[in-house]
């Protein structure tokens, strides 16, 4: 795709290209972007080519992919964030999605040493430590166990981490795209641990990945027995390599980093291991120089996905404000929306499933006639937790936490429908 | 609207209280019979095992059991000196982390940052932030050198970590790191961490009646992403897979 002849500012160029998926050349405003390539011969009263000629037959694409007109709906990364793509992150295009389920190929990625390519016949899961019987399972073994299907959100603890000191990245893909929500099929760890037995002194479980980072986290045994799974399917099909094929840990409601991918080992112990990923990383440094550790639960959070900087408003009049909300503490109870920067709020409608530790989709129908909005959403979960403003978070946590930034996002909607990530008083 | 909600909330609270009070007893009473019924079911054996999988052998475990705890549990035999570590570090680590741990380019910085952790610009390194030596040892053993993980011998591992500690002035030039000396090393930020206290420190975020109208004076914009302008351009947006 080329973007020559674009006179607009660089970020404006990006709006156009990402919002419409069309070559942005010469397009004056996002409202008109879609008209750029209209082929009058395809419009009534004419009859389009696709209504006359045969199209591709079955199995032209044995594993289907999205329409070629949806090529702009992709994961993206921010190159300056990391030194190498093997230890990096790509972001879910939240602004292009609706409902609560993230398509597998769009789930954000975070690897610490690239994607491990594990052959299923060579996959082994070892369970040892403070158990009665150290055990080893093949992938076929795993698939023989009773299994459950659960929809959960997975959010990286560093999601929105670039925004602690103020508005930085322009688009919810970049500011909030380290979250996805899929249906997992997997074996409850309670069931697996019955095979090994558990010694009474066991309190913690070390989960370790088979990738070249051997990603490791300590997880309380109580959580493991409560609702954790060893999952091998997402949205019905086998896990994608980048999501931990053939098997990963599912730790509902807790930091994404703990959902160890390419899971190879579970060791039971009586103390946490204080691995690099739970001390050097994934600890929340406060202003006084002390850091919170073991901040496992993801606080309730919401984000308006449309309109948003990558999804500007395309026309005046009736407008649907749409977004996602979730809470690591349970179910979402309510989502409120404000168009005046949090001064006045109205309740949004939650559409579809409301599940424990899963995303919900919310909508607010309204009219927009070019007035400058300061758009916000705030979620309230079933424990009564209310998503705080960014400033209220900063008052307690300072700006050096990196992790767990669940503050309320503000978007400025301009008279031409463009949207910008801003902060408000 | 808000008045109406108040009434609704109050009613719900009464209902909840009422329910809790009324149901506490029956719940207790039913707990036992239910458990008994479960035990009586033919398929609920005292042994819940499904007998899937194989016992893991000591040899299998030994090859994968690489974790090291702060108390030294899991630390392998062997030892390495700062001097030996310098050579290994220069050959296998310096290209990314810099000759003195200062970082070459944008790779993680391993040294420096002393005293910066409580400042507005904290520099987190092994010396300034890591809470225990085992964390460095465990991590390098499993993940470094980046791209050639689990390639160091135990002696090389101890040596290179001793050198990284020395770069951070945590140990002197003569130091030899081993399972036995591990516990003697005091990391500067050892006391820097405390357990998650959000549910008390952030209690104010649990609010039964979040404000709905006139919550604050008119909001004004205080910062903009486009002024900073670090969002990736459409170069990536147009990439065709």
């Amino acid at each position: 795709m080329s973007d020559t002849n674009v006179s607009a500012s660089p970020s404006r160029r990006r709006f156009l290209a990402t919002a419409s998926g069309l070559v942005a050349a010469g397009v004056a405003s996002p409202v008109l972007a879609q008209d750029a390539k209209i082929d009058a011969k395809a419009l009534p009263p004419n009859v389009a080519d696709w209504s006359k000629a045969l199209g591709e037959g079955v199995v032209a694409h044995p594993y289907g992919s999205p329409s070629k007109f949806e090529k702009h709906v992709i994961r993206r990364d921010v190159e300056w964030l990391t030194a190498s793509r093997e230890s990096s992150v790509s972001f879910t295009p939240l602004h292009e999605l609706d409902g609560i389920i993230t398509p597998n190929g769009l789930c954000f990625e975070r690897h610490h040493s690239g994607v491990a390519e594990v052959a299923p016949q060579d996959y082994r899961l070892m369970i040892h430590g403070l158990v009665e019987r150290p055990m080893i399972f093949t992938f076929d073994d795993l698939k023989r166990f009773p299994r459950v299907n659960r929809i959960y959100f997975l959010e990286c603890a560093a999601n929105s981490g670039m925004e602690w000191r103020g508005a930085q990245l322009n688009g919810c893909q970049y500011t909030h795209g380290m979250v996805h929500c899929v249906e997992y099929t997997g074996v409850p760890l309670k069931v697996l641990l019955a095979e090994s037995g558990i010694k009474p002194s066991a309190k913690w479980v070390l989960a370790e990945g088979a990738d070249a980072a051997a990603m490791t986290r300590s997880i309380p045994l109580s959580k493991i027995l409560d609702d954790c799974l060893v999952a091998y399917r997402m949205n019905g099909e086998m896990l994608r390599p980048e999501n931990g094929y053939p098997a990963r840990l599912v730790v509902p409601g807790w930091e994404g980093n703990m959902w160890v991918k390419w899971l190879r080992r579970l060791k039971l112990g009586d103390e946490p291991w204080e691995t690099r990923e739970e001390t050097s990383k994934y600890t929340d440094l406060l202003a006084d120089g002390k850091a919170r550790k073991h901040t496992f639960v993801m606080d309730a959070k919401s984000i308006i996905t449309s309109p948003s900087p990558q999804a500007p408003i395309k026309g005046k009049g009736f407008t649907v404000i749409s977004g996602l909300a979730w809470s690591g503490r349970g179910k979402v109870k309510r989502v409120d929306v404000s168009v005046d920067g949090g001064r006045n709020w109205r309740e949004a409608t939650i559409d579809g499933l409301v599940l424990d530790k899963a995303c919900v989709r919310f909508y607010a129908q309204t009219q927009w006639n070019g007035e400058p909005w300061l758009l916000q959403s705030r979620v309230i979960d079933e424990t009564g937790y209310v998503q705080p403003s960014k400033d209220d978070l900063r008052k307690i946590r300072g700006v050096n936490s990196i992790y767990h930034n669940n503050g309320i996002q503000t978007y400025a909607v301009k008279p031409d429908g463009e949207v910008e990530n801003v902060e408000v008083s | 609207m808000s008045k109406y909600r108040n009434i609704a909330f109050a009613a719900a609270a009464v209902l909840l209280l009422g329910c809790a009070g009324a149901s506490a007893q029956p719940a207790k009473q039913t707990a036992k019979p239910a458990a008994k019924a479960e035990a009586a079911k033919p398929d609920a054996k005292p042994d819940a095992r499904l007998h899937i999988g194989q016992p893991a052998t000591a040899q299998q475990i030994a090859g994968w059991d690489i974790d090291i705890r702060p108390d030294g549990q899991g630390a392998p035999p062997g030892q390495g000196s700062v001097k030996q570590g310098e050579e290994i570090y220069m050959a296998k680590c310096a290209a990314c982390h810099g000759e003195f741990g200062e970082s070459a380019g944008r790779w993680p910085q391993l040294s420096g940052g002393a005293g910066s952790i409580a400042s507005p610009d904290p520099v987190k390194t092994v010396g300034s932030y890591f809470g225990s030596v085992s964390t460095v040892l465990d991590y390098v053993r499993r993940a470094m050198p980046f791209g050639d993980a689990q390639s160091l011998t135990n002696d090389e591992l101890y040596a290179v970590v001793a050198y990284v500690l020395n770069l951070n002035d945590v140990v002197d030039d003569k130091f030899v790191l081993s399972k036995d000396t591990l516990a003697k090393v005091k990391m500067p930020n050892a006391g820097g961490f405390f357990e998650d206290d959000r549910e008390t420190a952030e209690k104010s975020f649990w609010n039964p009646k979040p404000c709905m109208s006139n919550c604050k004076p008119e909001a004004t914009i205080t910062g903009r992403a486009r002024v900073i302008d670090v969002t990736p351009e459409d170069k990536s947006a147009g990439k065709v897979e």
Side-chain angles (χ1 to χ4, degrees):
Chain A
M1 184 181 282
S2 116
D3 57 1
T4 45
N5 298 333
V6 176
S7 54
S9 73
S11 7
R12 179 178 175 83
R13 222 158 57 211
R14 193 182 47 75
F15 286 144
L16 298 175
T18 59
S20 65
L22 301 173
V23 178
V27 176
S29 110
V31 182
L32 296 173
Q34 270 185 336
D35 299 344
K37 267 197 166 174
I38 285 179
D39 177 5
K41 292 198 293 292
L43 302 180
N46 301 314
V47 177
D49 286 348
W50 55 78
S51 303
K52 301 174 195 161
L54 296 177
E56 276 182 333
V58 297
V59 211
H61 309 277
Y63 192 106
S65 45
S67 159
K68 69 177 181 184
F69 303 108
E70 298 295 323
K71 283 215 169 83
H72 54 290
V73 183
I74 52 171
R75 297 185 280 227
R76 294 189 174 88
D77 67 346
V78 177
E79 263 190 274
W80 55 263
L81 271 180
T82 51
S84 91
R85 280 208 157 121
E86 290 74 29
S87 173
S88 194
V89 57
S90 71
F91 302 90
T92 308
L94 297 177
H95 60 292
E96 299 281 4
L97 304 175
D98 215 325
I100 64 170
I101 297 292
T102 316
N104 289 342
L106 295 178
C107 288
F108 82 92
E109 308 158 286
R110 171 71 172 109
H111 316 311
H112 289 257
S113 287
V115 177
E117 254 194 46
V118 182
Q121 70 276 14
D122 298 332
Y123 174 82
R124 294 293 181 277
L125 173 63
M126 184 183 283
I127 301 184
H128 72 120
L130 296 176
V131 298
E132 305 295 343
R133 299 167 293 277
M135 295 295 295
I136 193 157
F137 301 100
T138 65
F139 191 49
D140 281 339
D141 288 339
L142 280 187
K143 289 186 288 181
R144 284 177 61 205
F145 279 101
R147 51 207 174 262
V148 297
N149 298 288
R150 298 280 185 275
I151 297 175
Y152 291 122
F153 81 84
L154 184 170
E155 186 185 15
C156 176
N159 200 18
S160 316
M162 288 84 76
E163 306 286 301
W164 273 108
R165 287 161 190 259
Q168 268 214 72
L169 289 163
N170 212 18
C172 64
Q173 176 165 22
Y174 302 109
T175 57
H176 290 74
M178 281 198 267
V179 66
H180 58 62
C181 185
V182 310
E183 184 191 51
Y184 296 96
T185 305
V187 188
L189 267 162
K190 204 172 23 187
V191 172
L192 279 176
L193 287 172
E195 298 305 305
S196 65
I198 300 171
K199 292 225 163 112
S201 54
K203 296 275 174 313
W204 289 82
V205 177
L206 184 76
E208 181 181 84
D211 58 329
M215 172 54 60
T216 337
R217 287 293 300 254
S218 306
I219 304 169
L221 179 62
S222 53
K223 175 68 175 176
I224 288 280
L225 293 175
D226 178 26
D227 59 1
C228 292
L229 311 175
V230 174
Y232 50 88
R233 290 181 183 277
M234 54 197 286
N235 293 332
E237 66 179 3
M238 290 302 184
L239 293 182
R240 294 285 173 97
E242 59 270 39
N243 301 108
Y245 179 89
R248 82 174 308 166
L249 202 59
V250 167
V251 190
W254 288 20
E255 296 180 327
N257 179 256
M258 307 177 79
W259 301 45
V260 172
K261 299 189 283 192
W262 314 288
L263 182 69
R264 75 163 194 176
R265 191 165 70 101
L266 295 166
K267 182 179 190 177
L268 279 65
D270 55 2
E271 286 173 18
W273 278 258
E274 310 294 1
T275 69
R276 182 247 189 178
E277 309 298 336
E278 57 209 43
T279 52
S280 164
K281 308 292 166 198
Y282 305 99
T283 49
D284 314 335
L285 182 59
L286 306 187
D288 66 358
K290 298 284 182 226
R292 285 182 182 146
K293 65 174 178 180
H294 302 154
T295 46
F296 303 135
V297 178
M298 296 307 296
D299 295 311
K301 187 162 167 178
S302 69
I303 178 69
I304 292 172
T305 53
S306 170
S308 66
Q310 296 160 286
I313 303 184
K314 300 254 177 81
K316 291 180 180 167
F318 178 76
T319 300
V320 178
I321 297 165
S322 169
L324 282 174
W326 59 92
S327 169
R329 293 193 175 84
K331 286 183 182 155
V332 166
K333 191 171 76 188
R334 196 178 100 200
V335 181
D336 297 331
V337 168
S338 168
V339 296
D340 59 6
R343 189 157 188 239
N344 296 287
W345 296 90
R346 60 179 265 217
E347 194 173 335
T349 306
I350 294 177
D351 179 76
L353 296 171
V354 179
L355 299 168
D356 188 45
K357 305 180 183 83
C359 286
V360 302
R361 173 61 57 176
F362 67 86
Y363 297 117
Q365 303 186 357
T366 186
Q367 295 283 329
W368 177 75
N369 289 302
E371 62 272 26
W373 270 353
L374 291 172
L375 256 186
Q376 295 187 340
S377 66
R378 87 177 164 198
V379 59
I380 300 158
D381 74 14
E382 64 178 345
T383 72
Y385 181 98
V386 183
Q387 184 182 4
S389 72
K390 289 192 173 171
D391 281 340
D392 283 346
L393 263 190
R394 290 180 185 125
K395 264 179 223 148
I396 299 176
R397 302 190 192 168
V399 294
N400 290 330
S401 275
I402 300 178
Y403 306 104
H404 292 281
N405 184 352
N406 67 317
I408 291 171
Q409 170 69 45
T410 310
Y411 288 142
V413 179
K414 295 164 197 188
D416 61 359
E418 279 196 18
V419 182
E420 186 184 2
N421 170 11
V422 299
E423 294 241 355
V424 288
S425 56
Chain B
M1 160 99 187
S2 68
K3 220 190 227 167
Y4 182 80
R5 172 155 295 146
N6 284 348
I7 294 166
F9 265 123
V14 168
L15 257 174
L16 275 173
L17 277 174
C19 289
S23 65
Q25 263 318 102
K28 259 188 200 152
Q29 283 169 357
T30 52
K32 265 193 183 156
K36 257 185 202 153
E38 181 101 0
K41 267 196 271 165
D43 60 344
K45 301 185 198 102
D47 176 8
R49 294 168 69 187
L50 301 170
H51 299 279
I52 299 173
Q54 297 294 317
T57 66
Q59 203 189 358
Q60 284 174 321
I61 294 170
W64 282 13
D65 190 11
I66 54 172
D67 52 88
I68 305 170
R69 281 197 339 192
D71 61 4
Q73 198 192 89
Q79 61 171 51
S81 67
V82 169
K83 215 172 155 61
Q84 292 161 329
E86 179 171 8
E87 214 167 293
I88 299 159
Y89 183 89
M90 290 307 167
K92 300 192 172 186
C93 321
C96 294
H97 294 295
E99 275 185 42
F100 305 100
E102 79 284 10
S103 160
R106 289 155 62 228
W107 303 97
Q109 185 176 337
L110 298 186
S111 65
S116 73
I117 293 302
S119 80
D121 266 309
V123 178
K124 296 182 193 167
T125 71
V126 169
S128 69
Y129 197 61
F130 277 54
S132 111
V133 193
S134 71
T135 303
V136 199
L137 208 54
D138 173 273
Y139 181 70
V140 173
R141 190 186 196 192
R142 66 180 60 254
M144 289 294 133
F146 192 63
D148 192 18
Q150 302 193 42
S151 64
L152 300 177
T153 66
N154 291 339
D155 287 350
E156 286 174 332
L157 172 72
Y158 280 120
V160 82
V161 170
Y163 184 69
V164 171
L165 295 173
N166 179 257
L167 283 177
N168 280 287
D169 299 322
V170 174
V171 300
D172 63 35
D173 296 348
K174 301 220 166 53
F175 185 73
V176 177
L177 186 61
S178 70
K179 189 180 172 111
D180 301 324
T181 58
L182 186 62
K184 297 196 184 95
V185 184
K186 286 279 157 289
M187 298 297 275
N189 197 39
F193 302 91
F194 64 98
E195 291 290 331
D196 183 6
D197 66 346
R198 281 175 292 174
E199 301 209 346
T200 47
E202 300 181 358
K203 219 183 165 93
S204 59
F205 297 160
W206 278 266
N207 177 2
K209 260 192 67 204
C211 174
M212 292 302 282
S213 53
N214 277 316
C215 302
K216 60 182 187 187
E218 197 163 332
T220 53
I221 294 177
T222 56
R224 296 173 174 276
R226 287 179 67 178
V227 170
I228 298 168
D229 197 20
V230 287
T231 312
E233 300 305 339
D234 57 357
K235 170 188 69 66
S236 55
K239 200 162 50 189
V240 177
E241 310 278 284

